[in-house]
Amino acid sequence: MQAKLSGFISAIQQATTLDGLQSVIIGLRDHLGIEHVIYHSVNSTGQQYAVLTYSPEWVDRYLAEDYARIDPVVQGCFRRFHAVNWKNLDWSGRATRNFLGEALDAGVGNQGYSVPIRGPNGQFAMFTVSHRARDETWEKFTAEHVADLILFAHFVNQRALEIEGGHDLNVMRSLSPREIDVLTMLAMGLNRAQAADSLAISEHTFRTYVESARFKLGANNTTQAVARAVAEGLVLI
């Protein structure tokens, strides 16, 4: 999986248009063996853009009916900073149940997992995978791929912002050698205790370097900081 992961990350970085990013999304969907992969963003000026594998008919229907106002996935992600399993959202309202019925008929899938992304200057985005599967099958899938999905989410978001002209990108300050060290350890899959031990520093000092790097990169969390550092070539795995 790691070789494929690196290949998709490279493809994301090489995409120069949203159509190119769309091709990467389709390839990722096929590799994961699921029905849909979706990236949708609203930037600081209200401009929206997306790369996704839903049918054009469903996309048109969703926009025409302004379903974002009642979609539990959109509403749930907007209120959260962590990834969301659709099964943990509230689908009990009558309008919501009717919307769900339409979504299922459109082939959206009964299972989904969405990663909310908050970029600089008020940008908000979501990276979603969905599929038709039994609960236990989907639980196994998300447990196996959650780290990769979060990483993909931030790589796709970073590249999409660059393709759209970089209006929401912050000018990044250079990282110190130690800040690069701590992000490299995290990118390699080590937890904080293991990484701190490898660098012969305390966990408190390790966290200080992580927070400093996160601030310089304009990242909202550690995962986003690692993704941005790798995307910019500041960290090599």
Side-chain angles (χ1 to χ4, degrees):
M1 176 64 186
Q2 288 305 312
K4 276 287 186 180
L5 171 63
S6 298
F8 280 114
I9 289 175
S10 177
I12 291 168
Q13 292 173 316
Q14 293 173 19
T16 58
T17 64
L18 290 181
D19 285 341
L21 207 53
Q22 172 80 15
S23 297
V24 178
I25 289 291
I26 292 173
L28 179 59
R29 175 200 64 185
D30 295 343
H31 174 67
L32 293 174
I34 57 177
E35 295 188 49
H36 295 295
V37 176
I38 305 97
Y39 167 79
H40 177 239
S41 172
V42 182
N43 69 16
S44 57
T45 64
Q47 180 185 9
Q48 299 187 47
Y49 46 93
V51 288
L52 43 76
T53 59
Y54 287 152
S55 70
E57 293 78 15
W58 173 241
V59 174
D60 290 344
R61 173 70 175 171
Y62 190 99
L63 294 175
E65 297 296 328
D66 191 23
Y67 278 146
R69 61 188 167 79
I70 61 170
D71 186 345
V73 178
V74 173
Q75 299 303 319
C77 283
F78 196 71
R79 298 187 184 99
R80 292 171 170 82
F81 289 89
H82 56 81
V84 176
N85 187 323
W86 291 5
K87 289 291 184 180
N88 297 328
L89 298 171
D90 182 8
W91 298 87
S92 61
R94 181 176 179 181
T96 302
R97 291 196 305 271
N98 291 337
F99 161 73
L100 177 60
E102 283 197 52
L104 293 174
D105 289 341
V108 168
N110 64 315
Q111 306 282 0
Y113 195 81
S114 297
V115 180
I117 307 164
R118 285 168 175 79
N121 303 323
Q123 185 242 1
F124 173 73
M126 289 169 45
F127 181 85
T128 294
V129 292
S130 69
H131 193 48
R132 284 179 293 182
R134 298 170 60 182
D135 287 355
E136 55 269 29
T137 301
W138 190 247
E139 184 177 348
K140 181 179 179 181
F141 172 86
T142 52
E144 181 179 351
H145 295 291
V146 59
D148 293 338
L149 293 175
I150 292 173
L151 197 59
F152 279 129
H154 291 290
F155 269 105
V156 170
N157 187 64
Q158 180 76 8
R159 192 60 186 141
L161 288 175
E162 293 167 350
I163 290 171
E164 285 300 296
H167 301 300
D168 289 323
L169 295 177
N170 286 336
V171 176
M172 292 189 288
R173 306 175 186 178
S174 60
L175 300 181
S176 71
R178 210 43 152 176
E179 289 164 349
I180 292 174
D181 286 342
V182 299
L183 294 183
T184 299
M185 292 293 171
L186 294 174
M188 292 171 61
L190 277 66
N191 62 38
R192 291 192 177 193
Q194 294 168 329
D197 185 61
S198 296
L199 296 173
I201 59 178
S202 70
E203 286 191 55
H204 175 74
T205 300
F206 184 88
R207 286 195 297 271
T208 299
Y209 283 123
V210 171
E211 287 303 302
S212 175
R214 185 181 67 80
F215 174 77
K216 289 181 179 181
L217 293 168
N220 292 310
N221 51 52
T222 301
T223 300
Q224 189 179 66
V226 172
R228 287 188 176 178
V230 174
E232 292 298 319
L234 302 173
V235 166
L236 301 177
I237 306 176

